[in-house]
């Protein structure tokens, strides 16, 4: 039969494993060992909660749940989804245009708080309540991001927090 892993090499403890091995046999030692930690994820290249740097600014709305506005870890910044909420009043802006502009302003505020710019964004995710709003959201997005554009997807969501019409999150690389 065909082996989809033919020619691949996976290095791990005990040396490399080639695609020519019988994949049904369990190797004597796993290539990657995940060791559960209390309150953490794994202990390989050590990743623990205390290694994350939380980014918070009053220039963007406070988190409306158990999450951070953004978290920096290993040279990346992970920005939580930003809605069209006014950071002062906590009220949702009216209409797709106002919400998109406000969501982008909130994203920019979090980026500034972390010392980053839109040019540092490598991946953006946009959620829209109605795909019919895509062209308008895209227009305002293009006013903030310049070529080379980050990787991106736009997803129609059945419902966004606070009945929002648009939400934007981002992954940012080190400058």
């Amino acid at each position: 039969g065909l082996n989809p892993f033919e020619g691949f090499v996976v290095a791990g403890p005990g040396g490399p494993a080639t695609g020519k091995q019988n994949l049904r046999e369990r190797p004597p030692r796993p290539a990657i060992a995940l060791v559960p930690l209390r309150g953490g994820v794994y202990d390989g290249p050590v990743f623990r909660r205390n290694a994350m740097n939380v980014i918070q600014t009053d220039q963007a709305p406070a988190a409306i749940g158990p999450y951070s506005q953004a978290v920096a870890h290993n040279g990346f910044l992970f920005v939580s989804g930003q809605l069209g909420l006014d950071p002062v009043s906590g009220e949702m802006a009216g209409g797709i245009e106002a919400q998109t502009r406000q969501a982008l302003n909130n994203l920019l505020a979090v980026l500034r708080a972390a010392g980053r710019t839109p040019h540092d964004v490598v991946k953006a995710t946009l959620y829209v309540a109605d795909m019919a709003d895509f062209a308008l959201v895209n227009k305002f997005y293009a006013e903030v991001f310049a070529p080379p554009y980050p990787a991106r997807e736009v997803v129609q969501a059945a419902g966004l927090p606070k009945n929002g019409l648009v939400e934007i999150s981002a992954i940012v690389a080190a400058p």
Side-chain angles (χ1 to χ4, degrees):
L2 294 175
N3 180 349
F5 300 103
E6 187 75 36
F8 285 90
V9 175
V10 178
T18 66
K20 296 185 185 310
Q21 293 176 329
N22 183 344
L23 296 177
R24 291 188 194 123
E25 291 178 12
R26 188 171 279 237
R29 295 181 71 197
I32 299 172
L34 297 181
V35 179
L37 294 174
R38 208 165 99 195
V41 179
Y42 66 90
D43 196 8
V46 177
F47 170 76
R48 298 171 193 230
R49 286 186 173 267
N50 62 4
M52 299 186 305
N53 294 318
V54 174
I55 307 299
Q56 204 151 330
T57 177
D58 60 2
Q59 300 300 304
I64 56 175
Y67 61 92
S68 301
Q69 287 174 328
V71 173
H73 183 70
N74 283 347
F76 285 92
L77 178 71
F78 301 90
V79 182
S80 294
Q82 298 298 309
L83 296 164
L85 290 171
D86 180 276
V88 176
S89 71
E91 297 297 317
M92 188 68 73
I96 186 65
E97 180 176 337
Q99 284 191 31
T100 303
R101 287 185 183 278
Q102 187 62 58
L104 287 165
N105 284 335
N106 294 340
L107 177 68
L108 291 172
V110 175
L111 291 176
R112 277 192 302 275
R116 309 289 177 85
T117 70
H119 183 72
D120 300 318
V121 174
V122 294
K123 174 82 168 51
T125 302
L126 286 74
Y127 299 96
V128 294
D130 187 346
M131 198 57 82
D133 294 330
F134 173 77
L136 187 61
V137 170
N138 207 42
K139 173 186 164 194
F140 297 124
Y141 177 91
E143 291 176 2
V144 172
F145 294 95
Y149 296 111
R152 180 188 89 173
E153 65 265 337
V154 178
V155 179
Q156 182 173 337
L160 294 171
K162 299 239 180 201
N163 293 316
L165 302 175
V166 63
E167 183 173 5
I168 305 168
S169 64
I171 299 173
V172 185

